[in-house]
């Protein structure tokens, strides 16, 4: 049953990343139309013909769209001539003029601004969600999180400008943060200590799978139905999921009617020293912040998480701007880094669990995995920013995000290593809020840098800072005695 529960969490995490990816992938997109001399040439889905004013686009349903000459760019590919037109939400809502010479910079800055408001809501929700999940439990916590963000994403179809779009993204952020402290708490309840990093790794892998699927699914929906219906369809998936979750996740393993006696014994005995005391009260934020060990989670994530979020936010724009990819080429390139992230997440979780099963301490296993993950990230970032082809760039990025997940799944497991019961979600929430703060600072800093290579290259410096933050504060990774607080 514990694997069914983590499977449900993985499913909603995939949906979570589809929802948050809608804006990034539909913000600005290059669409290629083949330029032909005859409008009714057989076999063409889209046809572009020259006119005195620019280009006339005719799709397979007969819809005609006239494009001024300054909005279309001619390019040759595979012996054919195409006119590339910049489309997407930013253009449709009148926020970006594709004919302007600073269109790319404005698109990047506006997306960064909207993301900052999303992250502010996300960070507040991380802190609040940790406390809420500790108070009402994971079952109800996931229900409300998924319901709020699913409705928010669907309502984004009603956006009419920057204000309404940002407001819906804020609502999305308030809902989407819950699964991160919630999963850490759920894994502490449902899994013995030796399996928790693997469970956390599966959760991280699901985020990566969602990121792999996002460019393909979202851009296919965008081309077929437009951005408004894409928001409605993707947002509706989370609303559907909550019914399944409430039906299957009926109680914790102590009382769940579908858990066998054998599995129940395995889970409860495997909790070891982290078995929660039913009379124990959750620690306040003040009490958590007074303990030096807890700062390993808070500062470690403050420095590390911006690496992930900068890629999630700007990767589609980066591929469009630097390598001049059209919407289909982005869809079939942007998934590669997240495939690496999925592998890194599972392997990172398995690795520390394997070390524990071989007799190594939790302290040794977590720290070893954190070092290995960071050692993968640094050279991979350097290689990715100097890559001259899109294929080499995305392969190197796969190692960047793979190393990140290898690192982060073990860092995210620390709250359940250091605490039990009603304090796990609270510390995980504080760590998530610190991650958001670090990301907001990174995005604000990105506004000052117009060079993509320099921007991504500087992310490599965050790894040693995260290492120092963890190792200078955590000491020995072990449960903090209740009487210390």
């Amino acid at each position: 049953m514990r694997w069914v529960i983590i499977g449900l969490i993985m499913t909603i995490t995939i949906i979570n990343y589809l929802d948050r990816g809608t804006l990034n992938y539909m913000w600005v997109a290059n669409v290629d139309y083949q330029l032909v001399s005859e409008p009714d040439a057989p076999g063409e889905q889209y046809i572009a013909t020259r006119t005195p004013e620019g280009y006339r686009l005719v799709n397979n349903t007969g819809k005609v769209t006239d494009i001024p000459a300054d909005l279309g760019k001619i390019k040759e590919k595979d012996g054919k001539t195409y006119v590339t037109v910049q489309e997407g939400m930013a253009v449709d809502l009148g926020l970006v003029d594709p004919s302007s010479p600073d269109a790319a910079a404005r698109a990047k800055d506006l997306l960064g601004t909207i993301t900052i408001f999303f992250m502010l809501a996300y960070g507040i929700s991380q802190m609040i969600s940790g406390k809420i999940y500790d108070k009402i439990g994971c079952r109800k916590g996931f229900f409300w999180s998924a319901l709020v963000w699913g409705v928010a994403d669907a309502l984004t179809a009603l956006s009419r400008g920057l204000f309404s779009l940002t407001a819906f993204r804020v609502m999305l952020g308030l809902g989407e943060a819950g699964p991160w402290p919630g999963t850490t708490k759920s894994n502490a309840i449902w899994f013995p200590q030796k399996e928790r990093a693997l469970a956390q790794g599966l959760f991280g892998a699901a985020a990566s799978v969602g990121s792999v699927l996002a460019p393909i699914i979202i851009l296919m929906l965008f081309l077929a139905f437009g951005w408004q219906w894409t928001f409605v369809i993707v947002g509706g998936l989370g609303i559907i999921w909550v019914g399944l979750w409430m039906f299957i996740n009926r109680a914790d393993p102590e009382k769940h009617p579908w858990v066998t006696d054998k599995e129940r014994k395995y889970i409860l005995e495997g909790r070891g020293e982290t078995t929660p005391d039913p009379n124990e009260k959750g620690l306040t934020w003040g009490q958590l912040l007074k303990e030096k060990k807890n700062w390993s989670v808070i500062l470690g994530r403050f420095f590390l998480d911006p690496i992930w979020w900068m890629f999630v936010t700007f990767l589609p724009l980066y591929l469009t701007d630097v390598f001049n990819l059209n919407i289909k080429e982005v869809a079939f390139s942007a998934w590669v880094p997240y495939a690496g992230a999925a592998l890194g997440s599972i392997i990172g979780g398995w690795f520390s669990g394997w070390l524990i099963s071989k007799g190594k301490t939790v302290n040794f296993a977590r720290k070893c995995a954190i070092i290995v993950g960071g050692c993968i990230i640094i050279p991979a970032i350097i290689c990715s920013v100097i890559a001259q082809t899109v294929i080499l760039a995305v392969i190197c990025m796969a190692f960047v995000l793979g190393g990140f997940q290898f690192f982060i799944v073990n860092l995210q497991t620390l709250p359940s290593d250091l605490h039990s019961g009603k304090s796990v979600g609270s510390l995980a929430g504080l760590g998530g809020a610190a991650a958001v703060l670090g990301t907001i600072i990174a995005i604000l800093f990105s506004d000052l840098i117009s060079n993509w290579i320099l921007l991504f290259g500087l992310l490599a410096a965050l790894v040693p800072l995260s290492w120092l933050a963890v190792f200078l504060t955590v000491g020995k990774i072990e449960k903090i005695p209740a009487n210390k607080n």
Side-chain angles (χ1 to χ4, degrees), residues 2 187-200 265-275 349-350 352-357 360-363 365-366 409-410 413-420 477-480:
R2 67 192 187 280
N187 289 341
I189 294 170
W190 278 95
F191 287 88
Q193 190 175 38
K194 67 180 181 180
E195 290 181 349
R196 281 184 203 154
L198 176 58
Q200 198 72 31
K265 180 180 178 181
Y266 177 74
I267 294 171
L268 299 182
E269 290 183 353
R271 287 174 179 171
E273 62 179 8
T274 59
T275 301
W350 167 85
S352 62
W354 174 75
L355 289 176
I356 294 172
S357 70
K360 300 296 184 181
T361 64
V362 172
N363 179 64
R366 302 286 191 249
V409 297
N410 287 279
T413 306
L414 292 185
S416 62
D417 292 328
L418 300 175
H419 296 278
S420 61
I477 298 175
E478 59 185 357
K479 185 182 178 185
I480 301 170

Side-chain angles (χ1 to χ4, degrees), residues 121-332:
Y122 190 88
I124 292 170
S125 181
Q126 281 271 9
M127 297 173 63
I128 296 174
S129 296
K131 282 292 185 184
I132 291 175
Y133 276 63
D134 280 338
K135 186 176 181 64
I136 68 175
C138 294
R139 183 174 185 264
K140 293 181 180 178
F142 272 96
F143 170 85
W144 286 110
S145 292
L147 186 64
V148 169
W149 93 59
V151 170
D153 204 49
L155 289 176
T156 308
L158 302 177
S159 298
R160 294 296 178 266
L162 185 61
F163 179 80
S164 56
L165 175 59
T166 303
F168 289 128
R169 295 303 283 188
V170 166
M171 183 179 174
L172 182 77
L174 290 174
E176 281 210 327
W180 270 255
T183 299
T184 302
K185 180 176 178 64
S186 178
N187 289 341
I189 294 170
W190 278 95
F191 287 88
Q193 190 175 38
K194 67 180 181 180
E195 290 181 349
R196 281 184 203 154
L198 176 58
Q200 198 72 31
L202 291 172
F203 167 66
S208 302
V209 170
S211 298
V212 168
L213 296 176
I216 299 172
I217 293 176
I218 291 170
L219 294 179
M220 286 177 61
L221 290 172
F222 173 66
L223 288 173
F225 304 109
W227 61 267
Q228 289 96 337
W229 274 108
T230 301
F231 278 110
V232 172
I233 294 169
V234 177
L237 295 176
I239 300 173
I240 294 171
W241 176 89
V242 297
L244 187 63
W245 169 258
M246 295 300 284
F247 175 73
I248 294 177
N249 188 12
R250 301 188 174 195
D252 288 346
E254 290 90 339
K255 298 181 180 179
H256 200 296
W258 299 349
V259 175
T260 65
D261 291 338
K262 181 179 178 181
E263 183 181 19
R264 184 176 292 109
K265 180 180 178 181
Y266 177 74
I267 294 171
L268 299 182
E269 290 183 353
R271 287 174 179 171
E273 62 179 8
T274 59
T275 301
D277 179 355
N279 298 317
E280 179 183 344
K281 294 183 179 180
L283 300 177
T284 65
W285 288 333
Q287 290 173 315
L288 290 170
L289 294 173
K290 287 179 181 178
E291 171 55 51
K292 182 180 178 181
K293 286 180 180 291
N294 293 334
W295 284 93
S296 61
V297 178
I298 297 168
L299 292 178
R301 294 200 60 187
F302 173 83
F303 289 114
L304 189 67
D305 275 64
I307 296 174
W308 176 265
W309 281 101
M310 293 295 282
F311 276 93
V312 169
T313 302
F314 293 122
L315 181 59
L317 272 180
Y318 175 79
L319 295 176
T320 299
D321 190 29
V322 174
F323 295 102
N324 197 32
L325 300 189
N326 63 36
I327 188 170
K328 294 181 180 179
E329 292 167 336
V330 169
F332 289 99

Side-chain angles (χ1 to χ4, degrees), residues 24-84:
N24 299 342
Y25 285 104
M26 297 191 295
W27 185 239
V28 172
N30 288 334
V31 181
D32 288 346
Y33 300 93
Q34 187 178 352
L35 188 61
V36 297
S37 57
E38 296 294 332
D40 56 353
E44 294 294 337
Q45 182 79 2
Y46 296 97
I47 300 168
T49 55
R50 294 183 187 272
T51 67
E53 295 79 20
Y55 308 94
R56 172 160 290 182
L57 308 180
V58 183
N59 71 6
N60 61 321
T61 65
K63 179 183 177 181
V64 177
T65 304
D66 290 314
I67 305 295
D70 58 351
L71 297 186
K73 297 179 181 179
I74 297 295
K75 75 174 184 180
E76 300 288 336
K77 183 179 178 181
D78 299 329
K80 299 178 181 179
T81 303
Y82 296 87
V83 56
T84 299

